[in-house]
């Protein structure tokens, strides 16, 4: 059977940037909108010798899943990239968390390869920062990139699960793939998230917040 081409101008749909063409609710016509699983950019924060990078808006019941993406996060001092959560719009970042952390590592000079669980990076009902990476140095060939998933933060029934994966260059130097997962042990809605290094400032880097429709 031959396929017929439809002229774009014959579709009575107003074009919209970053939107997809999909069937409407009656399945008898087209409309523009977000398709299931679409990334919706909500906020962008750029670090410049910042003590912390805070997201105190856009985390609400609009989405069941949020993703933070990290681009070339660079510290002012050798330290660990980390995050914490708030249930009071950022007045306090002290949600109790239980987590697990492991990594794969490969030195530049090929002398060491390693796959290991790191009990020093996990938490057991700890309200402090959750490490997401190994220690990163301050060289321009060091730093971290990756992502953090936060699931259903506005729930007032369930705990708040998170998963993170960070690719970084340690001060050894070595390539390191860091995996973190856990939950914020609160049934209060999480409405703010803060990123920082365990010491010093976030010298440079970009973090983007997306909602998953």
């Amino acid at each position: 059977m031959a396929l017929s081409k439809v002229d774009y101008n014959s579709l009575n749909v107003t074009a919209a940037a970053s939107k997809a063409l999909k069937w409407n609710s009656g399945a008898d016509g087209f409309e523009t909108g977000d398709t299931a699983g679409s990334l919706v950019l909500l906020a962008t924060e750029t670090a410049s010798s910042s003590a912390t990078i805070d997201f105190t808006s856009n985390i609400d019941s609009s989405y069941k899943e949020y993703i933070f993406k990290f681009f070339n996060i660079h510290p002012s001092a050798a330290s660990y990239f980390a995050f914490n959560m708030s249930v009071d719009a950022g007045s306090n970042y002290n949600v109790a968390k239980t987590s697990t952390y492991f990594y794969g590592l490969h030195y530049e000079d090929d002398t060491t390869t390693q796959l290991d669980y790191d009990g020093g990076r996990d938490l057991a009902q700890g309200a402090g920062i959750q490490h997401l990476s190994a220690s990163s140095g301050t060289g321009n060939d060091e730093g971290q990139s990756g992502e953090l998933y936060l699931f259903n933060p506005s729930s007032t029934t369930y705990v708040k699960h998170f998963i993170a994966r960070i690719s970084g260059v340690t001060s050894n130097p070595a390539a390191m793939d860091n995996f973190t997962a856990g939950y914020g042990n609160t049934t209060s809605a999480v409405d703010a998230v803060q990123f920082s290094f365990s010491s010093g400032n976030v010298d440079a880097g970009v973090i983007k917040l997306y909602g998953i429709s």
Side-chain angles (χ1 to χ4, degrees), residues 82-154:
F83 91 107
N84 211 334
M85 295 177 281
S86 172
V87 298
D88 54 14
S91 294
N92 298 280
Y93 290 94
N94 57 1
V95 172
K97 296 168 291 298
T98 294
S99 61
T100 182
Y101 180 104
F102 74 95
Y103 64 87
L105 175 147
H106 188 190
Y107 280 19
E108 281 187 5
D109 61 11
D110 204 25
T111 58
T112 302
T113 59
Q114 193 171 350
L115 178 65
D116 201 6
Y117 178 80
D118 189 346
R121 307 274 80 79
D122 64 14
L123 295 172
Q125 284 300 97
I129 58 174
Q130 170 63 58
H131 289 179
L132 299 175
S133 77
S135 180
S136 178
T138 60
N140 286 337
D141 60 347
E142 299 174 85
Q144 315 287 338
S145 295
E147 56 192 11
L148 168 73
Y149 292 77
L150 179 61
F151 300 95
N152 203 14
S154 294

Side-chain angles (χ1 to χ4, degrees), residues 1 14-16 29 32 43 84 87 97 102 110 149 156 163 171 180 183 195:
M1 181 178 67
T14 302
T32 56
N84 211 334
V87 298
K97 296 168 291 298
F102 74 95
D110 204 25
Y149 292 77
T156 55
I163 300 172
S171 52
T180 310
Y183 57 89
F195 297 95

Side-chain angles (χ1 to χ4, degrees), residues 64-97:
K64 295 293 186 183
E65 180 182 356
Y66 290 85
I67 300 178
F68 297 90
K69 288 185 175 287
F70 316 118
F71 302 88
N72 300 119
I73 306 300
H74 195 262
S76 66
S79 52
Y80 302 88
F81 188 52
F83 91 107
N84 211 334
M85 295 177 281
S86 172
V87 298
D88 54 14
S91 294
N92 298 280
Y93 290 94
N94 57 1
V95 172
K97 296 168 291 298

